[in-house]
Amino acid sequence: GIQVEQSPPDLILQEGANSTLRCNFSDSVNNLQWFHQNPWGQLINLFYIPSGTKQNGRLSATTVATERYSLLYISSSQTTDSGVYFCAVTSGSARQLTFGSGTQLTVLP
Amino acid sequence: DAGITQSPRHKVTETGTPVTLRCHQTENHRYMYWYRQDPGHGLRLIHYSYGVKDTDKGEVSDGYSVSRSKTEDFLLTLESATSSQTSVYFCAISIGHGETEAFFGQGTRLTVV
C-alpha cells in the first residue's frame, strides 16, 4: 500500500516563529488532508488539498502531486497551535485514509 | 462538527470480556470507518463500511468485528478484549469531494485491564 512519511517528527518553536511541516507519499493520491490533533485528542480538519495551494488564516498548505509531497506552513505560531499534525492520503479507488506518523509541535510562550 | 457521535467516550474493561463501541452519524453518509490510534503508529484502519451490511477489513482487523444494520450507526465489537486492544478508537465518515474528505468523531479511550 501507499506509504506516508512526515517530517520532522518533533518541532519546538517560540511563539511568533514560522514553521514548515512536510509530508511525502509513495504513490499518486486522489485525496490529501492535513489534520491537527489538539492536546485533548480531537482531530481537527485543516485542509483538503490533493493538489495546489490553500490558505486559512495563519495556515497554508501546498501539494505538488507530481512530486509526491505536501507542505503545511504555520506562520506567527501561537501556543494553541501545539499538538500533533497529521497528513493522510487516499490512493486509487480506496476512500479510507492512510496516515503518516505525525509531527509533534510544541509552541513555547 | 460533522455530526458524528461516539459512545462511550471512555471505558475500562477486563481481559476476555466483549466490548462494543458505537458510532452514530446524523446524516446519511455512505462511508464510515473505525481507526485505532497508538503511540508511534498514527491512526490505522480497523474496518470500514460502504453501506448497510457492506463492510470490509482494514490494516489491523484481527480481533475486531463490525456491523452496520442502519445507515447512521456503525458498531465495532471486540469479541474478547485483550490488553493489546487498549487504544484510542476513532470513527470517521467521508463526505463531499467524491466521498473522500474525512471527518472524525471525538474518540473513545478504551483500557483493557
Side-chain angles (χ1 to χ4, degrees), chain A residues 31 33 37 41 45 48 95 97, chain B residues 31 33 35 37 97-98 100 102:
Chain A
N31 172 23
Q33 290 184 250
Q37 187 168 40
N45 288 44
Y48 173 91
R95 285 174 172 79
L97 290 167
Chain B
Y31 285 86
Y33 311 84
Y35 291 84
Q37 184 177 24
H97 298 106
T100 61

Side-chain angles (χ1 to χ4, degrees), chain A residues 30-31 33 35 37 41-43 45 48 86 90 95-97 99-101, chain B residues 31 33 35 37 42-43 45 48 90 97-104 106:
Chain A
N30 49 38
N31 172 23
Q33 290 184 250
F35 297 91
Q37 187 168 40
Q42 186 179 6
L43 281 162
N45 288 44
Y48 173 91
F86 287 105
T90 63
R95 285 174 172 79
Q96 59 270 27
L97 290 167
F99 279 77
S101 295
Chain B
Y31 285 86
Y33 311 84
Y35 291 84
Q37 184 177 24
L43 278 81
L45 181 69
Y48 68 99
F90 285 95
H97 298 106
E99 297 177 302
T100 61
E101 184 174 7
F103 289 84
F104 285 80
Q106 294 196 316

Side-chain angles (χ1 to χ4, degrees), chain B residues 25-96:
Chain B
Q25 60 159 323
T26 56
E27 300 186 12
N28 294 324
H29 297 297
R30 189 159 61 120
Y31 285 86
M32 299 183 76
Y33 311 84
W34 279 107
Y35 291 84
R36 62 178 286 174
Q37 184 177 24
D38 305 293
H41 288 282
L43 278 81
R44 293 180 293 172
L45 181 69
I46 305 171
H47 281 279
Y48 68 99
S49 171
Y50 46 97
V52 172
K53 297 184 180 178
D54 291 324
T55 64
D56 206 348
K57 296 179 179 180
E59 176 187 358
V60 290
S61 60
D62 287 350
Y64 302 95
S65 62
V66 291
S67 66
R68 193 165 178 202
S69 59
K70 299 184 292 184
T71 300
E72 59 266 36
D73 289 326
F74 190 32
L75 304 180
L76 177 71
T77 297
L78 291 64
E79 301 289 349
S80 177
T82 67
S83 58
S84 65
Q85 294 175 312
T86 293
S87 188
V88 179
Y89 291 85
F90 285 95
C91 174
I93 60 174
S94 54
I95 67 176

Side-chain angles (χ1 to χ4, degrees), chain A residues 79-90:
Chain A
T79 56
T80 52
D81 294 331
S82 295
V84 183
Y85 290 79
F86 287 105
C87 167
V89 304
T90 63

Side-chain angles (χ1 to χ4, degrees), chain A residues 11 13 17-21 60 72-77 85 105 107:
Chain A
L11 187 59
L13 302 172
N18 302 327
S19 62
T20 301
L21 282 59
S60 64
L72 177 68
Y73 304 97
I74 305 174
S75 64
S76 303
S77 57
Y85 290 79
L105 176 65
V107 181

Side-chain angles (χ1 to χ4, degrees), chain A residues 26-45:
Chain A
S26 62
D27 203 348
S28 59
V29 298
N30 49 38
N31 172 23
L32 188 144
Q33 290 184 250
W34 283 97
F35 297 91
H36 175 215
Q37 187 168 40
N38 64 23
W40 296 270
Q42 186 179 6
L43 281 162
I44 299 166
N45 288 44

